[in-house]
Amino acid sequence: ARDVSPQMPPRNRLVLLPLISRACERACGNDDRANAAASLFFELYSAPNDELRDGIASAIVGVGEKIGSKLFDETFTTRGCLSADGIAAMRGAQRVLALHTLAEIGISSWYDSKETIVAAFERAAADPSDEVRIACSRAAARYVAAKAPPEDVVAELENVLMTLAHDGSDEVAEESRV
């Protein structure tokens, strides 16, 4: 996929998602291979549009449905590309994609690790990029509205949303109040 991707226009890279998904599924249990395969979702799509972002999130959710929450956490969230540290190391558009993906994962019926999602949203709320803080606000609000998480999680996410609603950037604050 890394060799083919540069020759393809970004909008045509959706065809690579099933290949990357299978690579992630097969790599489970091997930390190096699993992290490399999971990172492909973010490396090949440096600035995804809405269609690509939804496709990537759906592909990652599909991987989780097949391998289960425990292996998914080992591959993606514990020390992988969707951990709070992994997201912080990404470029801006990739961080937006990661937050969108986390909201979709959190909404899914198979994923039960709320702490990972909350930690990523808390870290993104303090991100220096307005674009990432806006994405954090949207993703956290979508997660709360769709999942109806337990009260302790809602309280933590309300703190994140209140922080964003009082953000120094008018654009971030306005988006968080919607």
Side-chain angles (χ1 to χ4, degrees), residues 28 49 52 62 68 70 72 77 95 111 134 137 171:
C28 285
N49 60 24
L52 274 173
K70 183 179 184 290
F72 184 85
T77 61
R95 289 194 309 265
Y111 193 72
I134 288 170
S137 175
E171 190 177 351

Side-chain angles (χ1 to χ4, degrees), residues 19-112:
L19 298 171
I20 298 168
S21 295
R22 281 193 294 279
C24 286
E25 293 165 18
R26 290 182 187 143
C28 285
N30 180 325
D31 290 344
D32 294 333
R33 286 184 56 214
N35 287 335
S39 295
L40 281 174
F41 282 113
F42 299 94
E43 292 172 6
L44 299 181
Y45 306 97
S46 59
N49 60 24
D50 290 341
E51 179 185 12
L52 274 173
R53 191 177 299 121
D54 289 340
I56 293 165
S58 293
I60 293 172
V61 168
V63 169
E65 288 173 348
K66 290 182 179 166
I67 65 174
S69 188
K70 183 179 184 290
L71 284 174
F72 184 85
D73 277 339
E74 290 174 8
T75 302
F76 284 91
T77 61
T78 303
R79 60 191 168 277
C81 53
L82 290 176
S83 68
D85 291 336
I87 293 170
M90 294 176 176
R91 292 186 308 273
Q94 291 174 325
R95 289 194 309 265
V96 170
L97 169 60
L99 292 168
H100 178 80
T101 301
L102 279 173
E104 295 302 313
I105 291 164
I107 291 168
S108 67
S109 61
W110 58 269
Y111 193 72
D112 54 8

